[in-house]
Amino acid sequence: MTDTDWSSYSLSDFLMFGPEVFLRLFVRINQDLWPWQGLAIVMMVLIAALLVRGDTMAKRGVLLLLALAWMWSGAGFLMAYYGPINTPADWFGWAFILQAALLTVAALVWPWDGTCVAPESRWKAGVGWFALTALLPLLVVGQSGNWKAVALFGVTPDLTVAASIPCMLLLPRRVRWLFLLLPLLWALFSAATLWTLGTRLMVLLPAATLVLTVAGFWFSPRPVQNRG
Amino acid sequence: MATRFTRRKFLAGLAATGLSLRMPVLVAAPGEKAITRAIPSSGESLPVIGMGTWRTFNVGGDRHLVGERTDVLKTFFELGGSLVDSSPMYGSADDVMGEALERLDAHDRVFAANKIWTRDGDATREQDRASRRKWGIERFDLQQVHNLLAWEAHLDTLKRMKADGDIRYLGITTSHGRRHGEFARIMEQEPLDFVQLTYNVLDREAEQRLLPLARERGIAVIVNRPFQGGRLFRRYQSEPLPAWAPEAGCSNWAEFFLKFIVSHPAVTCAIPATTRVEHMKENMGALYGTLPDEQQRRQMADYVAGL
């Protein structure tokens, strides 16, 4: 073997923990947060309701709640729980906080033009988003075989990122890419980690994020009226 | 049946635990003596089975898992183990080891081995100090340059630290069969007490040059990845042990893999890592009984290759 044979390295050489420790992170944060997970559920309901409403104030509200979710999962799960066993998670924690700041700026400062999609589409968006956010956590339960490991939106990063992408369609396409970069990076990092850990069912989470992110770069909801 | 737990019982239990830690062989295997090897540079004896912490002790702030790892370490000591190896590279492993040692009050029971893992050649003492603080010990018995990272600068400092009595032994490490050429050159030129490398029943490249060189130069050898990071079990555990395994001193696959390694005359100890007490007990079985001879070692390698 040569002295610089990088081909001898595999992803598993860079992972310093096993699946047991990783899956326990979800159990631990749920135990420590209990019963405040209720706030995450309230947040989900609020976002779904605001997506159905769909006016300018509702858009600002959705982005502010997303900011809160990114802040919470970054400072909580990534920095306080995941970071001590995986240093890059700590770096992502800071990036999540930066993303939260960006979302806050977009919510409060962006000059929204009042475009709105058709009521039927808004209902579909709200209900579809809620269904996605309620069903994706079951992947972690399925992987761990433990209900206490349920991964909630606003608490754990994969759920927060996956559920945020559809909401980011609210942003004009010319600035949306700025908000999709971190989800793309996170999804790649998370997919590589989960694949290497052998938690293959959970890989569907970042896979869903990747698909949604790529779609998010191109797709925009069609406006039907201008209330501006 | 509930038993009243009094202060007297608590203190008696504590004393018994402490006693068992200091009389490991009596607790583990009455009448049997642990297999040991001498460190060539000092003559000090080491049990041939040590303990690694890669991936297993990096559990962060998980109190439940810290408790489980403490039980693994307790079993290791009770069954006669001594050398524990870690690295700043392994996330929170140093912190968890420090807490486990504290809980077991076993700081004077451990042969503490750690590594310097930083590109900054001036940070040797600083990293050693940080690791010592986490382990809660005054000095490491062995400090090694991890994967030859900035090895010249670190080794120079480690030599001075050894001369000053800040460490007892120094060494270098590699794994996965990497950089064996450079590794051998350092072994030829530097006054090393220890080397750490990968060697197991399938990864046998070290037999060609590094192990003979270690014998020739009087360097102790620590063997990492004795189970190929668990792959050997996944691949062979469903297969039967050969009928002659008991003659080679092996009653399960863990003993088979470990005794193949530690029966090499150049090897001082192997450092398997585990998260489970029952696996630790199996691993420590390789510390007792007979070791395979040269002919049996060939048989063992041929048997595995033929599966």
Side-chain angles (χ1 to χ4, degrees):
Chain A
M1 197 168 285
T2 64
D3 284 356
T4 53
D5 191 358
W6 283 92
S7 65
S8 68
Y9 287 85
S10 64
L11 279 176
S12 63
D13 293 327
F14 301 97
L15 218 53
M16 294 297 143
F17 54 94
E20 179 202 19
V21 178
F22 179 72
L23 291 171
R24 283 269 311 161
L25 297 177
F26 296 88
V27 176
R28 286 171 57 209
I29 197 164
N30 281 330
Q31 284 174 340
D32 294 349
L33 276 180
W34 180 259
W36 295 100
Q37 284 91 339
L39 286 180
I41 311 290
V42 170
M43 228 158 62
M44 284 166 58
V45 173
L46 272 176
I47 288 176
L50 290 169
L51 285 173
V52 170
R53 188 171 139 179
D55 61 14
T56 301
M57 283 307 289
K59 287 176 186 173
R60 292 187 194 281
V62 168
L63 293 179
L64 277 177
L65 288 169
L66 285 187
L68 195 61
W70 281 76
M71 172 71 82
W72 197 359
S73 54
F77 189 93
L78 286 175
M79 294 173 80
Y81 289 81
Y82 196 7
I85 63 164
N86 195 14
T87 306
D90 227 9
W91 307 334
F92 269 108
W94 286 110
F96 270 50
I97 290 169
L98 188 64
Q99 179 93 341
L102 268 177
L103 286 163
T104 306
V105 169
L108 300 178
V109 179
W110 187 257
W112 298 95
D113 58 9
T115 53
C116 195
V117 296
E120 192 189 344
S121 300
R122 282 186 267 130
W123 269 101
K124 281 181 186 167
V127 173
W129 183 86
F130 190 84
L132 175 84
T133 315
L135 291 175
L136 283 178
L138 300 181
L139 290 172
V140 184
V141 176
Q143 182 72 61
S144 64
N146 184 356
W147 277 99
K148 291 178 184 168
V150 66
L152 290 173
F153 168 75
V155 178
T156 59
D158 276 313
L159 250 294
T160 302
V161 176
S164 294
I165 308 300
C167 299
M168 285 176 187
L169 296 181
L170 297 172
L171 293 159
R173 200 153 69 183
R174 64 181 181 281
V175 295
R176 195 186 302 151
W177 63 272
L178 189 62
F179 294 83
L180 293 177
L181 285 179
L182 183 57
L184 191 64
L185 280 176
W186 169 260
L188 291 171
F189 171 79
S190 180
T193 304
L194 295 170
W195 185 264
T196 308
L197 281 174
T199 50
R200 302 288 158 86
L201 189 58
M202 286 177 69
V203 176
L204 291 174
L205 274 169
T209 301
L210 280 173
V211 171
L212 290 168
T213 305
V214 171
F217 275 112
W218 307 108
F219 176 77
S220 279
R222 184 180 297 174
V224 293
Q225 56 182 308
N226 191 323
R227 294 178 181 174
Chain B
M1 189 177 71
T3 306
R4 189 162 170 245
F5 200 67
T6 62
R7 177 183 157 81
R8 177 173 294 184
K9 281 180 183 168
F10 172 71
L11 290 173
L14 208 61
T17 305
L19 194 63
S20 72
L21 282 174
R22 281 160 183 75
M23 299 169 64
V25 179
L26 287 177
V27 173
E32 257 192 303
K33 202 169 174 223
I35 304 166
T36 59
R37 284 272 165 75
I39 300 167
S41 65
S42 68
E44 180 182 354
S45 285
L46 271 183
V48 293
I49 303 298
M51 191 184 90
T53 56
W54 183 68
R55 276 204 184 162
T56 52
F57 270 65
N58 179 22
V59 302
D62 192 325
R63 311 311 308 158
H64 172 72
L65 292 183
V66 170
E68 286 192 357
R69 300 306 182 267
T70 304
D71 290 341
V72 168
L73 184 65
K74 181 170 181 277
T75 306
F76 172 71
F77 287 138
E78 284 176 348
L79 296 178
S82 172
L83 186 147
V84 175
D85 177 76
S86 189
S87 169
M89 182 194 187
Y90 304 161
S92 59
D94 278 342
D95 297 286
V96 174
M97 181 53 61
E99 183 164 350
L101 288 172
E102 180 71 31
R103 285 190 190 189
L104 297 172
D105 188 22
H107 292 100
D108 58 348
R109 178 74 184 84
V110 67
F111 185 101
N114 211 307
K115 306 189 189 83
I116 301 297
W117 180 66
T118 167
R119 290 189 189 282
D120 183 354
D122 296 326
T124 320
R125 285 182 186 273
E126 186 186 331
Q127 193 165 76
D128 174 77
R129 198 178 307 121
S131 297
R132 273 191 285 125
R133 199 179 310 121
K134 290 175 181 177
W135 281 53
I137 56 176
E138 286 180 17
R139 69 172 175 179
F140 280 106
D141 295 292
L142 166 62
Q143 196 53 280
Q144 308 150 97
V145 182
H146 195 156
N147 288 345
L148 304 186
L149 194 64
W151 69 267
E152 285 158 304
H154 290 316
L155 204 53
D156 277 347
T157 309
L158 289 180
K159 285 183 218 168
R160 288 196 296 276
M161 288 171 68
K162 184 182 169 187
D164 295 343
D166 295 333
I167 54 173
R168 296 172 62 215
Y169 302 103
L170 58 81
I172 56 174
T173 80
T174 183
S175 68
H176 301 71
R178 294 182 186 120
R179 301 174 74 175
H180 276 195
E182 188 177 6
F183 204 79
R185 282 193 292 280
I186 300 169
M187 287 173 71
E188 285 164 351
Q189 292 164 8
E190 298 289 344
L192 303 174
D193 299 303
F194 277 83
V195 289
Q196 185 180 137
L197 47 82
T198 295
Y199 175 57
N200 58 57
V201 72
L202 289 187
D203 300 316
R204 298 173 58 194
E205 189 187 330
E207 286 176 354
Q208 302 304 311
R209 188 170 177 197
L210 296 187
L211 292 177
L213 186 58
R215 286 192 83 182
E216 182 189 317
R217 297 274 298 157
I219 301 171
V221 176
I222 297 174
V223 171
N224 58 37
R225 296 179 61 78
F227 304 136
Q228 266 196 347
R231 284 193 195 99
L232 292 185
F233 286 114
R234 290 193 287 278
R235 194 161 158 191
Y236 297 113
Q237 198 156 32
S238 59
E239 303 285 349
L241 281 173
W244 43 262
E247 294 161 33
C250 307
S251 59
N252 55 48
W253 275 111
E255 289 179 18
F256 187 98
F257 296 138
L258 289 172
K259 284 197 170 179
F260 174 83
I261 294 166
V262 300
S263 58
H264 191 290
V267 170
T268 310
C269 79
I271 48 170
T274 181
T275 60
R276 294 168 62 176
V277 166
E278 59 268 34
H279 290 170
M280 174 56 77
K281 285 177 180 170
E282 285 185 1
N283 293 346
M284 296 308 281
L287 188 57
Y288 297 94
T290 56
L291 285 179
D293 58 27
E294 186 50 41
Q295 188 199 336
Q296 288 169 322
R297 296 188 79 249
R298 277 198 296 273
Q299 260 185 300
M300 293 166 94
D302 290 344
Y303 180 76
V304 169
L307 286 175

